[in-house]
Amino acid sequence: MHTLGIVTARSGSKGIKDKNIRKLSGKPLMAYTIESSVKCQYIDKVMVSTDSDVYADIARDYGADVPFLRSERNSTDIANSIDVLLEVLEEYQKRGMEFENIVSLQPTSPLRTCRNLDEAFRLFYDKEADSVVSVCECEYSPLLCGILSDDLNMSGFIREENLKRRQDLAKYYRLNGAIYISKVSKLRQLKSFYGERSYAYIMGQKESIDIDTELDFEYAEFLLKNREVKDNV
């Protein structure tokens, strides 16, 4: 098979208990990522890497493959995300299945769409890239940020040359955590998504929401309901 989609959804969550299966607009959070991935024309198989039988059953209900559970070593708070992906590839290899490319998908990006995935993959193939990573424009320019001293003195807080209108400043982009595509051979070699032939896929800020707090859940709920209203219209 050409491409494996890996949804990384361990059960431990310090901020919000069982965040990855918490209901968002009536569905478990990770269901949104599974459903959009299954629809993507460039992904041949979607699997969920989890350490929980409960999570595995939910993942299967929404169309994902869960042929094995994640190891204890890769289920801790400090587990390396690349190690998790390489473990998945190794386990599939033991079962006689090899993949040319992978895409790593965090379940905390529920507004990432199938269209986003298709566009990212087209960029990946058009550029003959080793990897493609999604980004979005920064909400605020880091040029307008600074470090405050303990006494709150603002002398030197912002460099003089950066005191311009926001629209006159250079655009900055940040990683949004939604899409990580890589050739398997390069991931094994570099143990990273960033190399000489890595390219950025730019997503909108709404699609880039990353669920980490209760406020994020509320905002995502609002955006999803608004999207449903527009679809119905």
Side-chain angles (χ1 to χ4, degrees):
M1 291 189 177
H2 284 290
T3 302
L4 174 66
I6 304 176
V7 181
T8 52
R10 73 182 185 92
S11 59
S13 176
K14 285 186 175 179
I16 300 174
K17 181 176 173 56
D18 284 325
K19 175 173 64 177
N20 290 324
I21 60 170
R22 176 166 164 175
K23 291 292 181 67
L24 175 67
S25 284
K27 289 192 293 190
L29 180 61
M30 68 177 177
Y32 293 91
T33 293
I34 294 170
E35 289 178 337
S36 62
S37 304
V38 169
K39 292 176 184 176
C40 176
Q41 61 181 309
Y42 297 96
I43 300 176
D44 298 295
K45 181 182 286 292
V46 177
M47 75 85 63
V48 170
S49 171
T50 183
D51 56 332
S52 165
D53 285 314
V54 173
Y55 280 39
D57 287 340
I58 293 172
R60 294 185 187 105
D61 287 342
Y62 285 91
D65 187 31
V66 192
F68 47 82
L69 294 182
R70 191 185 300 190
S71 67
E72 289 185 19
R73 174 174 57 88
N74 283 321
S75 299
T76 65
D77 291 335
I78 59 173
N80 184 290
S81 59
I82 299 296
D83 289 340
V84 170
L85 303 177
L86 293 177
E87 177 181 81
V88 168
L89 291 169
E90 183 180 344
E91 288 297 328
Y92 270 111
Q93 193 175 52
K94 291 176 183 177
R95 291 160 173 77
M97 298 181 70
E98 294 277 2
F99 296 90
E100 185 178 345
N101 310 309
I102 68 157
V103 53
S104 177
L105 303 159
Q106 299 182 56
T108 50
S109 300
L111 275 77
R112 175 213 309 103
T113 65
C114 178
R115 176 183 57 81
N116 293 139
L117 289 168
D118 286 344
E119 289 176 353
F121 271 103
R122 283 196 287 271
L123 177 67
F124 178 69
Y125 289 117
D126 289 347
K127 292 286 190 181
E128 297 182 349
D130 289 334
S131 62
V132 162
V133 176
S134 61
V135 301
C136 67
E137 187 177 346
C138 291
E139 290 81 354
Y140 303 99
S141 173
L143 297 176
L144 298 178
C145 299
I147 298 173
L148 285 171
S149 59
D150 291 341
D151 66 357
L152 306 182
N153 188 296
M154 293 191 71
S155 175
F157 180 72
I158 297 175
R159 296 174 64 173
E160 190 69 28
E161 61 267 31
N162 294 335
L163 292 174
K164 304 174 184 178
R165 296 185 310 161
R166 178 181 56 81
Q167 54 267 44
D168 293 333
L169 293 169
K171 284 187 179 181
Y172 277 74
Y173 296 85
R174 64 172 178 83
L175 299 174
N176 68 357
I179 302 172
Y180 295 86
I181 303 171
S182 178
K183 291 180 178 177
V184 168
S185 59
K186 280 296 179 181
L187 187 71
R188 283 174 169 153
Q189 176 190 346
L190 301 176
K191 293 182 171 54
S192 170
F193 284 96
Y194 309 102
E196 291 183 5
R197 296 201 57 77
S198 297
Y199 292 88
Y201 167 63
I202 301 173
M203 290 173 58
Q205 289 182 348
K206 288 182 180 179
E207 298 162 328
S208 298
I209 185 170
D210 182 25
I211 304 292
D212 190 48
T213 66
E214 291 289 345
L215 183 60
D216 294 333
F217 260 106
E218 292 177 15
Y219 184 43
E221 188 99 31
F222 167 78
L223 292 175
L224 283 168
K225 287 181 179 178
N226 191 45
R227 177 189 286 178
E228 289 172 5
V229 169
K230 288 183 179 178
D231 289 344
N232 290 333
V233 171

